[in-house]
Amino acid sequence: MLGLLGLARRAGKLGMGFSAVEKMVAKGENPVVIAASDMGESLRGKVSRWQPVRGVVTDVLTGEDMARAFGRDKLAVVAVSDSGFVKGIRKLGF
């Protein structure tokens, strides 16, 4: 999963962080949202209300895993709206 998200980042197709993902949803980009398994309940509730999204993947990566992979101190949510990367995520079984 992290490898595919890394490719999406290099291609400029990855939204990282709550604000960036929220903007993707507001623009109607219909992303797949990947939420950290250890995300707080308050933030999890906000993420669950975002519409339209193609799906929300949880319980795969921790916030620490995502933050370390993308060179951040904290990271709880990322999203991809590009159809090629969405197909790749679905092929992984998510």
Side-chain angles (χ1 to χ4, degrees):
M1 172 72 82
L2 282 174
L4 187 60
L5 294 176
L7 288 173
R9 180 182 184 201
R10 286 189 289 278
K13 304 293 184 180
L14 182 69
M16 293 189 296
F18 185 84
S19 296
V21 175
E22 189 173 44
K23 286 179 186 175
M24 290 175 78
V25 173
K27 287 181 184 177
E29 294 183 22
N30 199 20
V32 170
V33 177
I34 297 91
S37 60
D38 55 353
M39 178 188 294
E41 288 301 316
S42 174
L43 193 56
R44 188 176 301 273
K46 291 176 185 177
V47 168
S48 70
R49 290 189 294 271
W50 282 340
Q51 291 296 324
V53 296
R54 293 183 195 178
V56 178
V57 178
T58 58
D59 300 328
V60 175
L61 301 169
T62 65
E64 184 179 326
D65 292 338
M66 288 194 289
R68 189 174 337 124
F70 298 116
R72 297 257 183 119
D73 291 332
K74 293 181 182 180
L75 188 60
V77 63
V78 297
V80 178
S81 62
D82 180 78
S83 61
F85 289 111
V86 169
K87 286 179 186 177
I89 290 170
R90 289 196 172 142
K91 280 184 180 180
L92 292 174
F94 302 108

